[in-house]
Amino acid sequence: GQIDPANTLFIVSSKSGSTLEPDLLHRHFRQSAEAALGPGAAGQRFVAVTDPGSALERTAQAEGFAQVLPGDPAIGGRYSVMSNFGMVAAAVLGLDLHRLVETAATMARSCAASAPPAANPGFELGVALGSAALAGRDKVTFVSAYEIAPLGAWLEQLLAESTGKLGKGLIPVDAEPLGEAGAYGRDRVFVFLHLRGRDDPQSESLARALEAAGHPLVHITLASRDTLAQEFVRWEIAVAVAGAVLGIDPFDQPDVEASKVKARELTDAYENGGAPAGPQPLYAIDGIAVYADGANTKALSGKVERPSLEGFLAAHFDRAQPGDYAGLLAWMDRDAGHTSALQAIRAHLRDRLKTATVLGFGPRFLHSTGQAYKGGPNSGVFLEITAKPAHDLPVPGRKISFGQVEAAQALGDMAVLGERGRRVLRVDLGQDVEAGLKRLGAAIKHAIP
C-alpha cells in the first residue's frame, strides 16, 4: 500500500535468473501492476537485469518487459556493482554515472598489476587483512561515518562470501554498537571508514583508545560520497589478495547452495500438501519455544538443570570461547524497532562475553554472510530467532505463502548449520514479535549477567 503500482518502475535483478526471492517478489508486484494497469500494459513497468540466456530473460521476453539489461557472466555476483547490476539502479536514482566510473577507474589504475605492491591500495589492504587473519585477527570490524555506513552491508557479503570457506575466512563485523576499548578481544582488526570533515567524536576517541591498546587499525578516508566507487574497486582487489594469502578461492561460494537445497525440499513439501511435522521444542512457555538439533541438544542437555529460557540461553552462550563470535540470525521484518532491540542484545553479548557479534536478517544473510557462518572457521555461536509473520501473503502462481517460504528457509539454514557442526540454538517468539523480543532481551541479560 506504500507505492502506486501504476507509476512504479520495478527492476527484477538476478544474475542466474533463478534466485528464489526475486522470483517471488516479481510474482507479487506483477500481480499488483496487472490489477492497476491490466495484463497487457503491466510488463512495461518492469525491467530485468540478468545474465544472457537465463530463465528471467525468457520470462521478461514473454511478459513484455520494457527492457532486459544483460549481466556479464564472467563477473561474479558480489563483484558486479560496477556492471549493470549496480549501474542500472544508480542510473534510476539519478546518480552521476560518469563520476562513478571516473573514480572507479582512478582506483583501478592505482591497483593495476603494474603498480608496485607498496603503492597499490588494494594489494596493501588485502595483505594486511589476510596477514591479520593468519595471526588470529579474523574479525574485520567496520566503524563507518554515518553518511557512508550502508557500505558496510556491501562489504559484509564481499568479505564473508569470498573468504569464508574451507574453515578459514574473514568474518565481517558491521554496524556493531560502539563500546569501550576494553570490550574488544585480540581477534579483531578495525577498519575506520571516514568521510572528510564528517568525523564522529565518539568513533575518533575509540580509535585512539584502540590504538593505545595495541589493536591494528586501518583508516580509509573518502573525500566525498561521490568517491564511493573507488572503494568498490579497492575492496574487490583487496579481498582477492586476502584470499590468496589465506589459500582459498575468493571467487566461489560452495556452502551457499546447501541452504537453498534444504529450503527447496521444504517449500516443495508445502506445495505438495505434505508440510513436514515441525520439530519438537526443547522448552516452551508463553508462546516462546526453544529448539536445537540432535548434536546441540546433546551438548546442552547436561548443562541445563532446570529447563528455562534463561537456562538454555546461558548454557548455549557459555560455549563461546575467546576468539569466537556470537551471531544473531533474525527472521523478522528489518524495521527500526526490531533492529534497535537486537542491537541492544548484541551490545550486551559483546560486553559480557568479550566476543565479536554479528547480526543478520533472513533471508538476506543467506546470500551474504551465511557462506562464512557455514564454511568459514567454526567459531560462531548462533542464535536463530524466528517468529510467526504478522501479515502473511500468498505467492501468486504458487501454492505457498511468503511466510511458508521464510519458515522453510530458516529451518533449512539451521539444518545446514547443524550438519556443519555449528553451535546453534533457535528461539521462536510466536505471534507477538515485539513482546517476544522484549522477553528475549530480558532473558539474555538475566542469563549472562
Side-chain angles (χ1 to χ4, degrees):
Q2 294 181 338
I3 61 167
D4 174 9
N7 291 299
T8 302
L9 177 69
F10 300 95
I11 303 173
V12 188
S13 183
S14 168
K15 266 194 77 64
S16 67
S18 59
T19 306
L20 178 66
E21 292 87 351
D23 175 59
L24 301 187
L25 291 167
H26 163 227
R27 289 169 181 268
H28 173 79
F29 287 110
R30 174 79 190 195
Q31 186 179 66
S32 301
E34 286 181 353
L37 295 161
Q44 287 300 301
R45 292 290 184 272
F46 287 79
V47 167
V49 188
T50 188
D51 283 0
S54 76
L56 175 56
E57 183 185 62
R58 293 191 291 276
T59 299
Q61 290 164 346
E63 294 189 4
F65 276 30
Q67 206 165 355
V68 178
L69 296 141
D72 182 343
I75 304 173
R78 60 188 172 278
Y79 296 93
S80 63
V81 63
M82 294 301 293
S83 75
N84 276 340
F85 289 97
M87 297 302 270
V88 169
V92 170
L93 286 168
L95 301 185
D96 184 340
L97 301 191
H98 292 291
R99 177 89 170 118
L100 280 174
V101 172
E102 278 171 11
T103 57
T106 301
M107 182 60 78
R109 283 191 294 274
S110 300
C111 295
S114 58
N120 182 319
F123 185 88
E124 192 179 27
L125 178 59
V127 168
L129 294 176
S131 302
L134 290 179
R137 289 184 178 269
D138 61 351
K139 316 302 186 302
V140 183
T141 303
F142 294 103
V143 182
S144 308
Y146 176 77
E147 290 92 336
I148 54 171
L151 179 62
W154 179 80
L155 287 165
E156 268 189 330
Q157 178 175 1
L158 184 69
L159 268 69
E161 210 169 66
S162 300
T163 69
K165 59 201 75 168
L166 301 178
K168 306 174 183 181
L170 304 174
I171 305 298
V173 179
D174 178 45
E176 188 180 55
L178 296 184
E180 300 297 321
Y184 300 99
R186 315 304 291 182
D187 58 340
R188 303 221 199 200
V189 57
F190 294 86
V191 178
F192 280 76
L193 297 166
H194 307 277
L195 189 60
R196 187 168 294 156
R198 303 301 295 269
D199 282 336
D200 166 46
Q202 190 185 359
S203 64
E204 288 302 288
S205 101
L206 175 62
R208 287 192 296 272
L210 291 170
E211 212 152 30
H215 292 283
L217 273 65
V218 173
H219 290 281
I220 293 174
T221 301
L222 275 70
S224 70
R225 289 197 304 176
D226 293 344
T227 59
L228 193 63
Q230 73 183 27
E231 294 312 311
F232 296 147
V233 178
R234 184 205 308 260
W235 283 91
E236 286 176 1
I237 298 290
V239 164
V241 170
V245 173
L246 292 170
I248 51 89
D249 178 356
F251 303 108
D252 69 357
Q253 52 284 336
D255 299 289
V256 169
E257 190 61 28
S259 287
K260 292 183 184 178
V261 170
K262 292 279 186 194
R264 208 174 296 132
E265 289 170 4
L266 289 164
T267 51
D268 287 348
Y270 280 122
E271 291 210 283
N272 295 327
Q280 288 301 305
L282 299 179
Y283 175 77
I285 187 169
D286 299 335
I288 293 181
V290 178
Y291 298 87
D293 69 340
N296 279 287
T297 298
K298 193 173 175 185
L300 295 172
S301 59
K303 297 185 173 187
V304 182
E305 288 179 26
R306 211 172 290 132
S308 67
L309 177 59
E310 288 79 3
F312 279 108
L313 289 167
H316 179 55
F317 284 112
D318 187 53
R319 297 191 282 174
Q321 302 297 313
D324 285 343
Y325 65 99
L328 300 177
L329 311 181
W331 293 84
M332 61 189 66
D333 290 343
R334 188 179 184 173
D335 60 30
H338 296 163
T339 302
S340 174
L342 291 164
Q343 286 284 66
I345 291 172
R346 193 179 173 188
H348 184 81
L349 290 173
R350 189 265 323 278
D351 291 343
R352 295 300 185 272
L353 300 175
K354 297 291 187 279
T355 60
T357 63
V358 297
L359 167 60
F361 283 86
R364 175 190 173 270
F365 74 81
L366 297 183
H367 305 272
S368 173
T369 47
Q371 165 64 39
Y373 299 161
K374 293 183 274 287
N378 192 356
S379 50
V381 180
F382 301 104
L383 181 65
E384 186 150 3
I385 308 164
T386 54
K388 304 288 181 293
H391 306 287
D392 202 1
L393 291 169
V395 177
R398 301 280 300 263
K399 295 176 187 170
I400 46 175
S401 69
F402 280 95
Q404 287 172 324
V405 170
E406 199 170 288
Q409 290 176 308
L411 290 175
D413 190 54
M414 184 161 169
V416 175
L417 285 166
E419 285 172 6
R420 297 285 194 277
R422 277 19 186 180
R423 291 159 288 178
V424 58
L425 188 73
R426 176 164 75 95
V427 173
D428 188 89
L429 304 179
Q431 297 284 357
D432 191 338
V433 183
E434 278 68 30
L437 271 177
K438 201 174 283 185
R439 172 83 176 84
L440 178 65
I444 285 177
K445 283 184 178 173
H446 187 269
I448 310 160

